[in-house]
Amino acid sequence: MARVSSFLFVLSLLCVLPLCLCDKSYGGKLNPWFYAHSCPKAGEIVRSVVANAVARETRMAASLMRLHFHDCFVQGCDGSLLLDSSGRIVSEKSSNPNSKSARGFEVVDQIKAQLEKECPGTVSCADILTLAARDSSVLTGGPSWMVPLGRRDSRSASLSGSNNNIPAPNNTFQTILSKFNRQGLDVTDLVALSGSHTIGFSRCTSFRQRLYNQSGNGRPDMTLEQSFAANLRQRCPRSGGDQNLSVLDIVSAARFDNSYFKNLIEKMGLLNSDV
Ligand SMILES: *[C@@H]1O[C@H](CO)[C@@H](O)[C@H](O)[C@H]1NC(C)=O
Ligand SMILES: *[C@@H]1O[C@H](CO)[C@@H](O)[C@H](O)[C@H]1NC(C)=O
Ligand SMILES: *[C@@H]1O[C@H](CO)[C@@H](O)[C@H](O)[C@H]1NC(C)=O
């Protein structure tokens, strides 16, 4: 009897072992199969809503990717960005990096609504943002990756965290690097994640300084390619047109590729932070 039970014990260990390995390689509790039993269609539902949204408007891919980034830099990837103001919560949506520029919330709402129908109270909004960012990359021709899942949603937001942690378009390199370091990310991560500017748009307010008054002496940024700068000035006048958009990647604005990095070498990056 003792033999049988110790045999069973070893057997049960063997069964559990692969799970333990998965847990380790995916940083504790997160793993790509987190919803395999509780909501097997979760990944497919996210993908199809994102695909529809990006088919309607290509820009949405960049917008969703940015939501994930702006969520993760404040209290970790916990969906805090999605919380509206109420009670003690002051929404991150009103921060400088998000106000008038964070978009795609209605797509997240659509995904959440479909998931609630399929498997109520199961899939976190933090995981939705993470999956939607990956799907946005794939849908615009970029890389795919396995998304470890199982994040839990925050019940609190941090407006000051949003204002202080997220890099601004006119931050110096040192400031941007220290903001990445604060998230446990290094200079390689900084360069790689900046590459997300291979898709999407930026508002005139975010790059006007470069066009007219880069260093406070009334001169433009001389490192900008001149005809590129002239073109930008037409869309982004000295005053007015704050919300006017320009593409972040002048060569292939809707395609996730490496032309963003090539543009930088050609002095055709849009933001100071890109350069
Ligand atoms: C960056 O932009 C903000 C907002 O437009 C401005 O207040 C600040 O002075 C700028 N910082 C630098 C270093 O130019
Ligand atoms: C340029 O910026 C400086 C300080 O940021 C300001 O004092 C100056 O008036 C600006 N010049 C022009 C031409 O806008
Ligand atoms: C915004 O950009 C458009 C071109 O796309 C331009 O016609 C318009 O004049 C710009 N707005 C302002 C206020 O300059």
Side-chain angles (χ1 to χ4, degrees):
M1 226 14 221
R3 264 198 189 178
V4 171
S5 65
S6 71
F7 173 71
L8 284 177
F9 178 65
V10 170
L11 198 64
S12 72
L13 270 187
L14 285 174
C15 292
V16 166
L17 200 58
L19 271 180
C20 296
L21 289 175
C22 293
D23 274 2
K24 282 226 172 64
S25 53
Y26 287 100
K29 287 189 302 197
L30 303 186
N31 76 73
W33 305 280
F34 189 84
Y35 300 113
H37 300 292
S38 58
C39 197
K41 287 195 188 148
E44 176 51 32
I45 288 172
V46 175
R47 199 200 61 77
S48 87
V49 178
V50 172
N52 281 333
V54 172
R56 273 198 305 276
E57 186 203 24
T58 315
R59 184 187 177 198
M60 191 50 73
S63 303
L64 291 170
M65 217 175 267
R66 186 168 183 262
L67 281 188
H68 179 45
F69 175 53
H70 283 202
D71 179 32
C72 292
F73 265 52
V74 185
Q75 305 183 161
C77 309
D78 63 352
S80 60
L81 169 59
L82 303 172
L83 293 172
D84 288 330
S85 293
S86 76
R88 285 207 302 259
I89 295 173
V90 181
S91 178
E92 293 168 19
K93 292 177 183 177
S94 56
S95 70
N96 298 326
N98 293 330
S99 158
K100 295 188 188 155
S101 69
R103 61 198 299 278
F105 294 112
E106 71 285 358
V107 177
V108 177
D109 287 345
Q110 262 180 44
I111 296 168
K112 182 65 173 169
Q114 286 207 22
L115 286 170
E116 288 306 292
K117 256 192 248 162
E118 176 75 18
C119 28
T122 304
V123 181
S124 71
C125 292
D127 279 343
I128 291 175
L129 287 177
T130 316
L131 285 165
R134 187 272 313 272
D135 294 341
S136 294
S137 166
V138 174
L139 284 160
T140 48
S144 186
W145 57 90
M146 290 262 255
V147 178
L149 297 165
R151 290 163 195 77
R152 284 297 167 231
D153 287 336
S154 175
R155 292 164 187 269
S156 69
S158 174
L159 180 65
S160 61
S162 188
N163 279 324
N164 297 328
N165 297 356
I166 297 172
N170 66 352
N171 279 161
T172 63
F173 172 73
Q174 275 311 324
T175 300
I176 296 172
L177 182 57
S178 72
K179 287 178 173 181
F180 273 77
N181 287 163
R182 216 180 294 165
Q183 304 299 327
L185 300 169
D186 65 15
V187 69
T188 304
D189 302 315
L190 189 168
V191 173
L193 288 170
S194 295
S196 68
H197 286 175
T198 175
I199 55 174
F201 294 77
S202 180
R203 295 176 306 151
C204 169
T205 47
S206 299
F207 55 88
R208 172 180 285 132
Q209 184 179 343
R210 298 189 74 197
L211 304 180
Y212 303 102
N213 199 0
Q214 170 76 337
S215 313
N217 60 5
R219 308 271 302 275
D221 181 352
M222 295 319 240
T223 70
L224 261 174
E225 202 282 324
Q226 294 212 356
S227 63
F228 176 65
N231 208 287
L232 290 176
R233 276 186 211 103
Q234 290 184 354
R235 307 184 60 89
C236 183
R238 210 175 265 278
S239 68
D242 284 6
Q243 313 300 320
N244 261 12
L245 299 174
S246 285
V247 295
L248 284 154
D249 172 353
I250 182 91
V251 169
S252 56
R255 195 147 180 88
F256 197 108
D257 56 15
N258 69 351
S259 53
Y260 164 81
F261 293 107
K262 294 180 181 170
N263 297 342
L264 293 182
I265 294 166
E266 304 291 328
K267 305 182 196 302
M268 293 197 287
L270 184 60
L271 306 178
N272 271 316
S273 53
D274 291 326
V275 176

